[in-house]
Amino acid sequence: MIENSFYSQEFHGPYELYNLGDFTLEEGGMIPKCQLAYATFGELNEAKDNVIVVPTWFSGTNKAYEPYIGEGRALDPSKYFIVIINQIGNGLSSSPHNSLDPISMVNFPKVRISDDIRAQHQFLTEKYGIEEIALVVGGSMGAQQTYEWAVRYPDMVKRAAPIAGTAKNTTHDFIFTETLIDAITSDPGWKNGNYQSCTEVVEGLNRHAKIWAVMGLSTEFYKQEQWRLFGVNSVNEFVYDFLQPLFAAMDPNALLTMAWKWQRGDVSRMTNGNLDEALGRIKARTFVMPIDEDIFFPPRDCEYEQSLIPNSDLRIIKSICGHFALFGVEGSAYFDQIDKHLIELLSTPV
Amino acid sequence: MIENSFYSQEFHGPYELYNLGDFTLEEGGMIPKCQLAYATFGELNEAKDNVIVVPTWFSGTNKAYEPYIGEGRALDPSKYFIVIINQIGNGLSSSPHNSLDPISMVNFPKVRISDDIRAQHQFLTEKYGIEEIALVVGGSMGAQQTYEWAVRYPDMVKRAAPIAGTAKNTTHDFIFTETLIDAITSDPGWKNGNYQSCTEVVEGLNRHAKIWAVMGLSTEFYKQEQWRLFGVNSVNEFVYDFLQPLFAAMDPNALLTMAWKWQRGDVSRMTNGNLDEALGRIKARTFVMPIDEDIFFPPRDCEYEQSLIPNSDLRIIKSICGHFALFGVEGSAYFDQIDKHLIELLSTPV
């Protein structure tokens, strides 16, 4: 266990913690007193049928979704009870840096998407008695979790909207994620996961950030100098003053925990590797929402999976920001698309 | 100067060497007795108007182009005098590892694409008295050099075919190349460029290779398991037994020299930054030939440049291999497209 002030109410609050008790993991081992950090917006109605669940993406927390929420929007807290749940290992929920021995730091166990969804299910049922989810929506690893929710609990999930992510991670994505892992673990300061502070791993984190600069955006984003959307005045500022500091504050072992999990996201693990069968189980009305300029979750891959989901539509989001459109820096140009599709989805009777 | 048996006649021969004498560089400094390694196919005719010049790509040598050459093909040695010229710093021509002090290893000067083309021009005119080039064709950095040839010597170059490359390197590409550089220079074994053998930098070279595995191919390449084209039986074999050993044999400083040069390829340096004016200078009949699945020299970027070239066509090559289609592992599925376009180009009167 080490200190990291980045993972705090100051930067990511308000959020609360729920203690799942000892949580056994699919890969073996368990997390004692496993905690999920979460943030809620709106009120659970009496029928308990106005729940929207939003799982977090790689390196993101509940805070990253705040721009998605607002009155009159799809994620409207005056109508819905919106629960943003931080994935295990993201730095706020139980994670390598905030866990005690014997699972502290590099000894933190391997966590799968399936573990997250079982944990989130336990949390929502135990704490709120929720038996029905109006919508699960999330971006990137949040999309992976959305798929896992819809396949694992098909009767509970009424609608699903995976944004910029896949149900079964692709080989290309697996290798891409390897390069992110390599960037961190190759830093001698990482010390096989036993650094005392993330500042010791800053060079590895900076390399990791620069790979994101290549894969997270689009060729056209740079050509049109759209880094201005991030409030910077040059491409160098974008890489060195925005992206690198963003990741440098994070815990390397948290990123590695999430990367390992991301690489192995695959709903077909529930059906002996049969993806058709897994996606065929989904009962939710589903909008599959890739981003047109996404380099590593390209629409082509998402379209294939959508074709295997019974009651689904493909809704492609247009954004020159590529995968990082998820940050929402384009404002209404992005959110108007998201809201339009999600409002339509939420208005569909199920 | 260090030994590296990879750069030898055994692996890249037959090739010859031409001594340019002391060669002054645009960035300052010079290469004493600068040598260009080259390979020729066919005979120079009496009119000296049957010359095809082929500059090499990043990490490649003359050897890489041999599959492009053959009787009845576009690059037909029974008709043309084909000269493949190794770029400076590629390990065969004057390079960090084969140079003596004071420009050995990390002290090797910065070389620009413009230096290469001036060097190649000196070589062709001095050695052969060539005043006209029927075609300059090259892939990737070979395309960058092709553009430089066509803009710098517009009266000499009659036809040009840049494959999978740009006239002005893009910002996205610049950052991508940074990640390749970071992968190598972050290896403590690199020792600021003063390693004794490339084997000391194998971890950095391996990381560099893995980034190529992400950017060099396409998402669909992996989905369809097209790594079989490279004669391997699994994706792990492709990454660990093909790509990593391929790059591990190379000289890290050579790769860094080429990467620095690649990042700064820009014909508009000849026209005070005016790309329209630079490309407008081209008199060659030009076929711009991007590869449809290329992640980092995407057709969109190439199409824009093509629109600025007076007498040009856009000819998109289809290949699931993305940028690495250049290796030619698809055989006729790839080469039939290349040959068709180049035969048409070569048959165009100029």
Side-chain angles (χ1 to χ4, degrees), chain A residues 6 110 169 176 183 236-237 240 247 267 331:
Chain A
F6 177 69
K110 299 299 185 202
N169 197 39
F176 160 44
N236 280 342
E237 276 186 35
Y240 298 108
F247 286 108
V267 296

Side-chain angles (χ1 to χ4, degrees), chain A residues 274-301:
Chain A
N274 187 328
L275 186 63
D276 288 31
E277 188 186 334
L279 292 175
R281 282 188 186 180
I282 296 177
K283 294 183 180 175
R285 172 81 176 127
T286 303
F287 281 6
V288 171
M289 295 163 65
I291 296 165
D292 61 349
E293 294 276 357
D294 195 321
I295 294 177
F296 60 96
F297 285 122
R300 182 166 51 191
D301 289 339

Side-chain angles (χ1 to χ4, degrees), chain B residues 225-240:
Chain B
E225 303 190 347
Q226 293 291 336
W227 28 260
R228 295 184 198 285
L229 290 165
F230 288 80
V232 296
N233 297 307
S234 71
V235 64
N236 280 342
E237 276 186 37
F238 178 63
V239 174
Y240 299 108

Side-chain angles (χ1 to χ4, degrees), chain B residues 121-345:
Chain B
H121 180 268
Q122 180 185 333
F123 159 58
L124 293 174
T125 52
E126 268 182 10
K127 178 163 176 73
Y128 300 110
I130 289 168
E131 294 175 358
E132 178 178 323
I133 300 174
L135 170 68
V136 183
V137 57
S140 199
M141 286 190 74
Q144 290 184 307
Q145 292 170 75
T146 298
Y147 277 116
E148 183 82 18
W149 258 114
V151 174
R152 184 170 288 273
Y153 303 108
D155 293 312
M156 188 169 180
V157 178
K158 302 303 176 189
R159 297 173 196 82
I163 305 172
T166 48
K168 177 175 179 167
N169 197 39
T170 65
T171 304
H172 182 259
D173 244 31
F174 190 97
I175 302 171
F176 160 44
T177 316
E178 286 276 303
T179 67
L180 295 174
I181 293 170
D182 286 353
I184 294 171
T185 59
S186 62
D187 188 335
W190 181 62
K191 296 175 186 157
N192 294 315
N194 288 314
Y195 51 87
Q196 289 300 308
S197 158
C198 63
T199 59
E200 298 170 20
V201 197
V202 67
E203 289 184 14
L205 291 169
N206 283 345
R207 288 195 293 274
H208 164 277
K210 207 183 280 181
I211 294 173
W212 274 112
V214 177
M215 297 297 287
L217 293 306
S218 76
T219 55
E220 203 64 11
F221 170 87
Y222 288 105
K223 186 172 185 183
Q224 297 186 16
E225 303 190 347
Q226 293 291 336
W227 28 260
R228 295 184 198 285
L229 290 165
F230 288 80
V232 296
N233 297 307
S234 71
V235 64
N236 280 342
E237 276 186 37
F238 178 63
V239 174
Y240 299 108
D241 299 337
F242 171 71
L243 281 179
Q244 290 194 338
L246 176 72
F247 286 108
M250 298 183 189
D251 183 64
N253 287 333
L255 295 174
L256 295 171
T257 299
M258 288 184 277
W260 190 94
K261 191 198 293 182
W262 165 8
Q263 290 183 301
R264 291 159 182 81
D266 179 5
V267 296
S268 78
R269 301 182 74 253
M270 289 179 268
T271 51
N272 295 314
N274 188 327
L275 186 64
D276 288 31
E277 188 186 334
L279 292 175
R281 283 187 185 179
I282 296 177
K283 293 183 179 174
R285 172 81 176 127
T286 303
F287 281 6
V288 171
M289 294 163 66
I291 296 164
D292 61 349
E293 294 276 356
D294 196 322
I295 293 177
F296 59 96
F297 284 121
R300 181 167 49 192
D301 288 340
C302 300
E303 188 172 357
Y304 169 70
E305 294 184 338
Q306 181 265 321
S307 74
L308 303 176
I309 302 171
N311 190 13
S312 66
D313 275 16
L314 181 73
R315 300 293 174 98
I316 295 176
I317 304 297
K318 289 185 193 305
S319 172
I320 208 166
C321 291
H323 196 73
F324 280 12
L326 291 169
F327 279 113
V329 291
E330 288 160 295
S332 61
Y334 169 74
F335 286 119
D336 286 356
Q337 298 178 71
I338 297 291
D339 282 336
K340 175 173 163 268
H341 294 305
L342 294 185
I343 285 169
E344 180 185 336
L345 180 58

Side-chain angles (χ1 to χ4, degrees), chain A residues 59-136:
Chain A
S59 85
T61 71
N62 55 285
K63 200 73 179 174
Y65 282 118
E66 286 186 7
Y68 286 72
I69 297 171
E71 282 201 32
R73 310 271 303 276
L75 304 195
D76 187 337
S78 72
K79 289 187 193 173
Y80 295 102
F81 180 54
I82 302 157
V83 190
I84 310 176
I85 311 176
N86 292 276
Q87 63 172 300
I88 297 169
N90 86 326
L92 291 188
S93 292
S94 284
S95 295
H97 89 279
N98 65 19
S99 290
L100 298 168
D101 284 335
I103 61 158
S104 181
M105 298 294 280
V106 75
N107 294 316
F108 197 75
K110 299 299 185 202
V111 182
R112 284 189 175 273
I113 299 274
S114 56
D115 297 317
D116 275 292
I117 300 321
R118 288 188 303 105
Q120 292 174 23
H121 181 268
Q122 181 185 334
F123 159 58
L124 293 174
T125 51
E126 268 181 10
K127 180 164 173 73
Y128 299 109
I130 288 168
E131 293 176 359
E132 178 179 321
I133 300 174
L135 170 67
V136 183

